[in-house]
């Protein structure tokens, strides 16, 4: 009789451990899928940037440095995105992606500021269309980032909760890192407004 009770306890613990393991796997896969959605939107954004640069080239021959900065920042962001896609949740990959995206956002912001100085360029239909597509894609990236961060938070919460934390360490479930805002500290500052 005692043997059956001991066997029952062992089986119950095994089933419980399997349920914890499967729950952690499910949440890990969910945040990886959420990052894949960010990756899709980032690739779309990276594909739109050369169209914007190409449309602006004819107008901005003396703003070549701005265009080159956008192209260089795009290349760096693409490389960081590839590293992050290979290891979603990895702290170094997420930090690298956030920094590269911040630099790209800054370069694109400077390009948009240049557009404002040229009425012909600002009114160009090709430029307007690409800007609209970029804006739409930026919104999709923001929504995908939020979904990713929600999934990471849910995974990390389960991973750190008792008794899951005991098994998470044994099964090799490492913490996942949130994808922080991609704006630089300079971009987060409130704009100065003057009514002189």
């Amino acid at each position: 009789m005692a043997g059956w009770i001991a066997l029952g306890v062992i089986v119950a613990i095994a089933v419980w451990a399997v349920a914890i393991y499967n729950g952690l796997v499910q949440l890990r896969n969910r945040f990886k899928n959420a990052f894949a959605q960010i990756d899709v939107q980032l690739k779309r954004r990276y594909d739109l940037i050369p169209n914007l640069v190409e449309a602006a080239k004819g107008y901005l021959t003396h703003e070549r440095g701005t265009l080159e900065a956008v192209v260089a920042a795009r290349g760096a962001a693409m490389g960081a995105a590839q590293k992050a896609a290979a290891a979603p949740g990895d702290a170094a990959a997420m930090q690298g992606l956030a920094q590269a995206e911040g630099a790209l956002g800054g370069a694109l912001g400077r390009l948009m500021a240049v557009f404002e100085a040229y009425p012909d360029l600002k009114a160009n239909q090709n430029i307007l269309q690409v800007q609209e597509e970029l804006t739409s894609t930026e919104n999709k990236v923001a929504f995908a980032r939020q979904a990713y961060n929600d999934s990471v938070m849910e995974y990390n919460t389960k991973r750190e909760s008792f008794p899951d934390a005991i098994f998470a360490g044994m099964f090799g479930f490492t913490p996942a890192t949130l994808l922080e805002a991609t704006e630089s500290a300079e971009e987060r500052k409130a704009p100065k407004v003057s009514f002189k």
Side-chain angles (χ1 to χ4, degrees):
M1 182 70 153
W4 286 108
I5 292 174
L7 181 62
V9 169
I10 291 171
V11 167
I13 290 172
V15 168
W16 180 54
V18 167
I20 289 173
Y21 178 84
N22 288 342
L24 288 167
V25 167
Q26 180 184 26
L27 292 175
R28 182 178 58 194
N29 288 340
R30 190 176 299 157
F31 86 71
K32 285 182 177 184
N33 178 57
F35 185 83
Q37 301 310 311
I38 293 173
D39 195 41
V40 166
Q41 297 307 323
L42 289 177
K43 285 178 183 169
R44 169 143 177 75
R45 180 174 169 223
Y46 301 150
D47 289 345
L48 288 170
I49 291 170
N51 296 341
L52 185 65
V53 169
E54 196 59 40
K57 269 186 183 176
Y59 290 91
L60 301 177
T61 54
H62 55 286
E63 298 282 354
R64 185 80 50 209
T66 303
L67 296 174
E68 289 171 358
V70 170
V71 171
R74 174 188 176 261
M78 287 176 68
Q82 288 173 346
K83 288 178 184 172
D90 177 69
M94 293 298 107
Q95 183 179 13
L97 179 59
Q99 288 173 344
E101 284 293 315
L104 178 58
L108 282 172
R110 287 187 294 281
L111 181 61
M112 297 305 165
V114 168
F115 288 173
E116 293 297 318
Y118 296 92
D120 290 345
L121 183 60
K122 190 175 164 183
N124 180 288
Q125 287 302 312
N126 288 341
I127 299 257
L128 290 173
Q129 180 182 3
V130 175
Q131 281 181 308
E132 179 62 34
E133 289 181 41
L134 268 174
T135 300
S136 172
T137 301
E138 291 298 329
N139 291 336
K140 291 175 185 174
V141 168
F143 288 127
R145 184 184 307 121
Q146 180 63 46
Y148 169 79
N149 284 344
D150 289 346
S151 296
V152 165
M153 185 187 70
E154 186 179 1
Y155 166 78
N156 283 338
T157 300
K158 181 166 178 69
R159 197 191 138 284
E160 295 167 6
S161 298
F162 183 80
D164 298 20
I166 296 168
F167 294 103
M170 288 186 336
F171 294 139
F173 288 92
T174 58
T177 301
L178 298 170
L179 182 56
E180 301 293 331
T182 57
E183 297 91 19
S184 67
E186 190 65 31
E187 291 173 300
R188 288 186 215 171
K189 288 182 182 175
K192 294 185 179 175
V193 178
S194 175
F195 293 106
K196 292 181 183 178

